[in-house]
Amino acid sequence: MILSDRDLKERLDNDEIVIDPLLDPDKQIQPASIDVRLGKEFVVYKLPHVAAIDTRDPDSTRGYTETVTIEEGESFTLHPGEFVLGTTLEWVKIPNDLVARVDGRSSIGRLAVVVHATAGLVDPGFEGRITLELSNLGRVAVKLYPGMRISQLVFHQMTSEAERPYGPARGSKYQGQQGPTPSRISNDIDE
């Protein structure tokens, strides 16, 4: 079940869902989602200088990325075929009985910009700024501006509250992230 604008407003008023700052509720709260804005930090991937990224070696990506901060009023140019990590301006907190999906806004998608490659799920219990996986699938560069509404969160009611929500008790590696956060897959312990 997807939460409606009425349910979203009630959950926001009761601090069950936190979107901070929610600068313009009239624009950001949609009939079935909440628009979130683009932050000012980006993780840019440089041309590869390694033969491969080793998912078990946290050092295999050393020097492969750089963080770029865009000043107020300036833009970030996303070139055709480029992949970068962005972040939401807002700090988000998801209650233990909801899951959120990150989707691109239609107006952004119509410019051939996608906001997530595969990581569109925000788990119950997550707190932090959401890392966006930005790609330009088009043939023309697109200028993105910090503060613009870039994506939307769609909230789904779970059948019951999560028994083990995302967070410190699970060793969740992205809890509390402050900006665009590169992969921490090497922290996975898979047997």
Side-chain angles (χ1 to χ4, degrees):
M1 174 173 64
I2 294 174
L3 271 62
S4 70
D5 53 357
R6 181 178 315 186
D7 296 324
L8 293 169
K9 289 175 189 174
E10 183 178 322
R11 292 282 194 123
L12 287 163
D13 289 344
N14 294 333
D15 291 327
E16 295 170 30
I17 295 173
V18 175
I19 309 286
D20 185 38
L22 187 61
L23 297 174
D24 192 343
D26 287 339
K27 279 188 182 173
Q28 288 180 259
I29 299 174
Q30 301 295 323
S33 64
I34 299 173
D35 288 350
V36 288
R37 298 174 185 271
L38 183 63
K40 63 181 182 177
E41 291 182 1
F42 298 85
V43 171
V44 177
Y45 291 82
K46 300 179 194 178
L47 292 174
H49 64 284
V50 294
I53 295 172
D54 185 342
T55 57
R56 292 187 178 174
D57 179 5
D59 293 330
S60 76
T61 59
R62 187 181 311 280
Y64 184 55
T65 63
E66 69 177 309
T67 301
V68 174
T69 302
I70 304 301
E71 298 301 323
E72 189 172 331
E74 298 294 319
S75 65
F76 179 85
T77 302
L78 187 62
H79 296 281
E82 189 174 24
F83 175 82
V84 302
L85 298 178
T87 186
T88 58
L89 172 71
E90 296 86 359
W91 178 271
V92 174
K93 181 178 178 185
I94 310 296
N96 294 343
D97 66 333
L98 297 179
V99 65
R101 297 273 327 160
V102 178
D103 285 318
R105 292 184 61 234
S106 173
S107 296
I108 298 298
R110 293 169 197 229
L111 299 174
V113 173
V114 295
V115 300
H116 72 83
T118 62
L121 183 75
V122 185
D123 281 315
F126 172 82
E127 291 185 42
R129 288 189 168 77
I130 297 171
T131 295
L132 303 172
E133 303 157 337
L134 301 167
S135 292
N136 181 347
L137 304 178
R139 295 182 178 188
V140 177
V142 178
K143 289 186 175 189
L144 302 174
Y145 292 86
M148 70 185 292
R149 292 180 293 137
I150 187 84
S151 60
Q152 56 192 333
L153 298 176
V154 178
F155 291 85
H156 298 262
Q157 180 71 53
M158 297 182 8
T159 56
S160 64
E161 193 170 292
E163 188 175 320
R164 292 184 61 225
Y166 198 86
R170 294 188 64 88
S172 301
K173 55 188 176 265
Y174 302 108
Q175 185 75 324
Q177 63 191 11
Q178 294 290 327
T181 306
S183 177
R184 294 177 176 161
I185 196 168
S186 64
N187 294 358
D188 289 356
I189 301 172
D190 294 331
E191 301 296 329

